[in-house]
Amino acid sequence: MSEKRATREAYGATLIELANEGVPVVAVDADLSGSTTTAKFGAAYPDRLINVGIAEQNMIGTAAGLAVEGKVAFTGSFAVFATGRAYDQIRNTVCYSNLDVKVAPTHSGITVGPDGGSHQMLEDIALMRVLPGMRVLVPADAVAARGAIRVAATTPGPFYIRLGRAAVPVIYDDDYTFELGRARVLREGSHVTLAACGVMVEQALAAAGQLELEGINAEVIDVSTIKPFDTATLVASALKTGVVVTCEEHSIIGGLGSAVAEALGEHAPVPLARVGVRDVFGTSGEPAELMEHFGLTGADIAEAARAVIGRR
Amino acid sequence: MTDAGRIAAIEAKAARMRYDIVEMIAEAGSGHPGGSLSAADIVATLYFDVLRHDPTRPDWPERDRFVLSKGHAAPVLYAALAEAGYFGRDHLVTLRKLGSILQGHPDCLKCSGVEVSTGSLGQGLAIANGMALALKLDENPARVFCLLGDGELQEGEVWEAAMFAPHHGLGNVTAIVDHNGLQIDGACDEVMCLGGVAEKFAAFGWEVRETSGHDVEGLLDALTEPPADPAVPVAIIAYTVKGKGVSFMEGDAGWHGKAPSAEQTAAALAELGSLLDAAMTTMTEGGAR
């Protein structure tokens, strides 16, 4: 687990792969093709990367038109602009017409770092999750990101893929395949379930390591698909361990924690703790500092696990 | 067909569509007559002359595309699609009713002939551009026509898209502005001044044409004349009268989004019926007036 790569690094490279295979992918970016890495795709397929300038609404609208004509249109920009700035375009044009637009921005969450709260998107999972027809993927590493992009490209209809800026450890082997709608148990345990997504999978695994030293056996689940949600896997784990901690680099409102709470509330009400950003905006700082500042480290997850076990 | 005959045929279609528009909105009990009636001649000219399309093959790859950016004018589109044969005329009375293919705003998943769902203003031109770009990538000669309202031009995305089309050389896009001068709250220039719409599109790099939106001959010229530079998109500013064809609706912003009462419907249909009869007579006589 020594190699580190940002999930965004998979973006341009995977689009090239898909185009080479004959998938009619195009990318529409908004003056951030270097940051999102769609520029790499543009270098290989110049006609198929369309830069709209700093105009995210137009980015989504143009992608929608391309999709109407049979293209598989990926869009870029940063998560905060690609979702919030263009929300109505995503709702009323992409989702309402059920178009093959894959909203895959980078720079989600606080690990954006020094750019600060204006650029750290913490509400995107919530915004995208409520849209009818939208599938929401949050890959944990660059390997899963490649898999998520491939699944989105080859499955009809709208997708949201949450990519990040910061380099994170590679968790998965190259033979990994992304399964839409399936949460993956990375480590089996019997005392507490740690359900995580994105960069928080690494932190959950670290928490499980810490807890093991105390004799607490944690089950770690990578919930890489937030929607459609894998209720069966989460409920089975909750019934086994009896307590659940959710871990996300996102607001605790509306994201993974909410999705888990909804599923457990209906099917397996057990004590639940949500580790995430607690209804505040982000702030400037280095990613590692911010993870500590907002209480998103492995140690924070372990602490939440101990507390929730006490509520059993 | 003589030019007069060609024009008379389109005018007869427009007259039929106006009658259908008022009838279906009255039956629905709600809807947007003003902007549907103002656009009737434009949409009739497109569907019954300019567009290369085949109602029996709505997914024919080389068809010309039409995007109704001002989606609230859905009745004018439905009237044209029904008249063209995309679906039966019996659907018109189901407008806005539960289970209808004719939603309050166009829904491409429900209604044959609707290329993309619209209704949230300001989005159609960007979509049209994306479609045109895809057609270029595929070396498909089809064209894309996008009808915008003038109030809609207050949306910022329109100008993002207006900047985009000339930059990407989208000569296969034609934007048409139904410039009736009115929006829900009153005159566009009082609600939020549009300034010179023609000058604005020209400044963004479009080849701009101005015509009366009720003069079929002028519309035909504007819609069919190729641009001087094939890589430059054409913007047609079509000056229209909101509510055109119904005397008490003309030029009254109050008719933007409400259905006529039973008495008003009878009066409107009497007027439109006379216009339709006259248009049919003119058409039968080959356009002589």
Side-chain angles (χ1 to χ4, degrees), chain B residues 108-131:
Chain B
C108 65
L109 301 180
K110 293 192 167 74
C111 184
S112 174
V114 175
E115 299 282 355
V116 62
S117 302
T118 52
S120 176
L121 292 174
Q123 302 193 25
L125 190 55
I127 301 168
N129 286 343
M131 294 166 72

Side-chain angles (χ1 to χ4, degrees), chain B residues 217-240:
Chain B
E217 191 172 7
L219 284 167
L220 275 174
D221 288 344
L223 288 164
T224 55
E225 181 71 24
D229 178 342
V232 172
V234 170
I236 298 169
I237 316 305
Y239 297 94
T240 58

Side-chain angles (χ1 to χ4, degrees), chain B residues 17-38 71-79 91-97 102-104 243 246 249 254-262 264-265 268-269 272:
Chain B
M17 286 162 53
R18 284 197 164 89
Y19 193 95
D20 289 342
I21 287 164
V22 169
E23 202 172 36
M24 75 174 100
I25 291 172
E27 173 64 27
S30 67
H32 298 84
S36 298
L37 291 168
S38 67
H72 56 281
V76 72
L77 176 60
Y78 297 153
H91 284 282
L92 294 179
V93 293
T94 70
L95 173 70
R96 290 177 163 253
K97 291 181 179 167
L102 307 183
Q103 294 290 293
V246 178
M249 291 184 181
W255 287 103
H256 173 89
K258 72 172 177 188
S261 67
Q264 289 167 329
T265 300
L269 291 181
L272 293 173

Side-chain angles (χ1 to χ4, degrees), chain A residues 151-165:
Chain A
V151 161
T154 52
T155 308
F159 272 81
Y160 180 67
I161 308 166
R162 187 183 212 232
L163 301 172
R165 169 180 181 266

Side-chain angles (χ1 to χ4, degrees), chain A:
Chain A
M1 221 170 82
S2 55
E3 188 199 0
K4 282 193 162 197
R5 278 157 61 199
T7 49
R8 65 173 160 152
E9 286 181 39
Y11 197 3
T14 308
L15 292 182
I16 293 171
E17 224 178 80
L18 288 159
N20 289 345
E21 293 166 21
V23 180
V25 288
V26 294
V28 189
D29 215 322
D31 196 36
L32 288 168
S33 62
S35 298
T36 64
T37 78
T38 59
K40 288 182 190 162
F41 173 64
Y45 289 93
D47 291 347
R48 289 161 73 168
L49 170 65
I50 297 104
N51 203 329
V52 299
I54 308 165
E56 295 76 16
Q57 299 175 0
N58 194 34
M59 174 180 78
I60 299 295
T62 303
L66 286 156
V68 167
E69 296 300 335
K71 306 299 179 193
V72 176
F74 280 81
T75 62
S77 191
F78 291 174
V80 65
F81 312 122
T83 60
R85 186 71 174 245
Y87 192 72
D88 186 47
Q89 285 72 14
I90 296 173
R91 181 192 187 276
N92 269 317
T93 293
V94 173
C95 292
Y96 195 61
S97 295
N98 194 36
L99 297 175
D100 260 348
V101 175
K102 321 299 177 179
V103 180
T106 62
H107 294 62
S108 59
I110 54 162
T111 49
V112 167
D115 275 354
S118 60
H119 284 53
Q120 295 166 354
M121 187 47 160
L122 298 168
E123 308 92 46
D124 51 330
I125 298 174
L127 288 172
M128 294 297 109
R129 193 166 76 87
V130 294
L131 292 170
M134 179 66 93
R135 274 66 58 89
V136 180
L137 313 184
V138 186
D141 71 359
V143 174
R146 171 176 175 268
I149 291 164
R150 292 187 63 85
V151 161
T154 52
T155 308
F159 272 81
Y160 180 67
I161 308 166
R162 187 183 212 232
L163 301 172
R165 169 180 181 266
V168 291
V170 174
I171 294 169
Y172 291 112
D173 298 332
D174 285 339
D175 59 0
Y176 166 93
T177 51
F178 192 99
E179 291 174 89
L180 180 63
R182 199 152 150 243
R184 189 175 295 241
V185 178
L186 293 182
R187 172 187 172 127
E188 294 200 6
S190 53
H191 297 141
V192 59
T193 299
L194 308 180
C197 64
V199 301
M200 294 298 282
V201 172
E202 174 203 0
Q203 302 299 331
L205 288 168
Q210 290 176 27
L211 292 167
E212 188 175 26
L213 301 176
E214 302 163 27
I216 298 172
N217 194 357
E219 179 145 300
V220 178
I221 302 179
D222 175 7
V223 190
S224 55
T225 307
I226 309 288
K227 186 184 173 187
F229 190 73
D230 185 353
T231 301
T233 297
L234 263 293
V235 166
S237 182
L239 292 175
K240 178 171 71 170
T241 65
V243 287
V244 175
V245 179
T246 59
C247 321
E248 61 193 312
E249 185 206 10
H250 181 273
S251 171
I252 56 165
I253 301 170
L256 173 66
S258 294
V260 169
E262 289 157 17
L264 297 185
E266 286 188 349
H267 301 287
V270 298
L272 170 72
R274 291 172 297 159
V275 171
V277 177
R278 308 194 74 81
D279 199 19
V280 292
F281 290 110
T283 189
S284 288
E286 289 305 320
E289 291 177 314
L290 294 171
M291 291 292 277
E292 281 192 23
H293 178 80
F294 287 105
L296 304 183
T297 66
D300 296 306
I301 297 168
E303 186 53 40
R306 289 180 206 107
V308 79
I309 287 169
R311 286 165 51 205
R312 177 152 45 196

